[in-house]
Amino acid sequence: MDTLLKLLKPVFLPLLKVDFTPPHLPEGSSLVRELKPSDKWLGYRYLQTMFGFLNQFIGFGIAVIALMAKLKGWGVALALLLFAVEFFVIGLALVTTRVDFEVRHYLVGDRSLRVVQGAWTREEVTLSYANVQNLEVTQGPLERLFGFKSLTISTAGADTTPGAQNSHLVTLVGLDDADALRGLILNMLKQHRDSGLGEPATTPTTAPTQRLLEIKEAALSLREAAMRFR
């Protein structure tokens, strides 16, 4: 499959709006780990793409047989043209699947997470650890069969409705070690929140302590004044 797609790629690549620029994290964030989907996920996507064309291809074959029976010579020419169009569409879909795999990157930083994907249009989503609310590892029956998992990360305002597109929810698909990645991100979240809580820790305690000292001084002053009047 890869050999065939390497031959087809130069034909279809000009049709795609592909940006192969290496992704990077926002300024001030250091890279902790960079991941890509596994090859098993790519095989799964190839199979998914081919099954998507299966019914269409069967219908196409029936239509072509009918045309050949009715139009004879012209039917054969038209059938060849239709098959050429169908194979062009299938080839484009497979090359798009391959390119989407190549440009998909998951960057885990010390302050944020960035996901880059998209063969037709490049998408870059950055989630700050300060806003992350939930991390969920999922694995459906087919994912279990192929041996990979997905990690969904959501922040405040995320729409968890299936198929919803928003910048508050990202899914890292095709992971070999989704559970380990979840643990890594949870550790980054803990470090981020611990450091965030440590800075203002003196703020809520300073004012009450000062007030207690002022009350103590006032009480001593009252006591001294009372002693003078005795």
Side-chain angles (χ1 to χ4, degrees):
M1 178 68 76
D2 282 342
T3 303
L4 175 62
L5 290 178
K6 284 180 182 178
L7 296 174
L8 294 176
K9 193 174 177 181
V11 177
F12 295 105
L13 202 57
L15 302 176
L16 304 175
K17 298 179 181 179
V18 183
D19 184 357
F20 287 102
T21 304
H24 57 83
L25 287 166
E27 187 176 352
S29 184
S30 301
L31 181 65
V32 176
R33 188 176 179 188
E34 181 175 356
L35 302 97
K36 286 183 61 64
S38 70
D39 291 337
K40 291 176 284 188
W41 179 79
L42 178 60
Y44 163 79
R45 289 288 292 124
Y46 282 149
L47 190 63
Q48 191 179 47
T49 300
M50 293 302 296
F51 267 105
F53 281 99
L54 182 60
N55 290 336
Q56 180 181 340
F57 197 77
I58 292 173
F60 229 72
I62 294 173
V64 165
I65 292 172
L67 284 173
M68 291 175 63
K70 187 173 183 179
L71 300 178
K72 296 187 179 182
W74 284 104
V76 174
L78 187 57
L80 292 175
L81 177 61
L82 291 175
F83 268 119
V85 171
E86 180 72 4
F87 281 115
F88 178 87
V89 173
I90 293 174
L92 177 60
L94 290 173
V95 170
T96 302
T97 300
R98 174 69 195 189
V99 171
D100 177 68
F101 169 78
E102 292 177 1
V103 301
R104 190 177 290 261
H105 296 272
Y106 310 137
L107 305 181
V108 181
D110 59 345
R111 297 184 180 182
S112 61
L113 171 78
R114 173 164 286 185
V115 177
V116 181
Q117 59 190 357
W120 289 98
T121 303
R122 182 183 176 106
E123 291 181 39
E124 294 191 20
V125 179
T126 302
L127 297 182
S128 171
Y129 293 143
N131 301 322
V132 172
Q133 289 191 334
N134 187 52
L135 295 94
E136 181 182 7
V137 175
T138 58
Q139 187 182 46
L142 286 178
E143 293 173 323
R144 189 177 299 110
L145 179 65
F146 278 83
F148 62 85
K149 297 180 181 179
S150 298
L151 175 63
T152 300
I153 305 170
S154 58
T155 65
D159 182 1
T160 56
T161 304
Q165 299 290 329
N166 60 84
S167 60
H168 301 281
L169 179 72
V170 295
T171 300
L172 284 60
V173 298
L175 298 174
D176 284 325
D177 54 352
D179 296 290
L181 180 59
R182 181 178 182 273
L184 174 63
I185 296 176
L186 284 174
N187 185 51
M188 305 304 297
L189 286 172
K190 184 177 183 301
Q191 292 180 17
H192 178 84
R193 288 167 182 170
D194 285 349
S195 62
L197 290 173
E199 295 173 358
T202 57
T203 303
T205 59
T206 301
T209 302
Q210 184 65 32
R211 284 196 292 271
L212 287 173
L213 290 173
E214 292 173 355
I215 293 171
K216 182 178 180 180
E217 290 175 0
L220 290 173
S221 299
L222 288 173
R223 183 179 177 183
E224 290 175 0
M227 293 291 290
R228 293 194 196 102
F229 285 105
R230 284 185 178 181

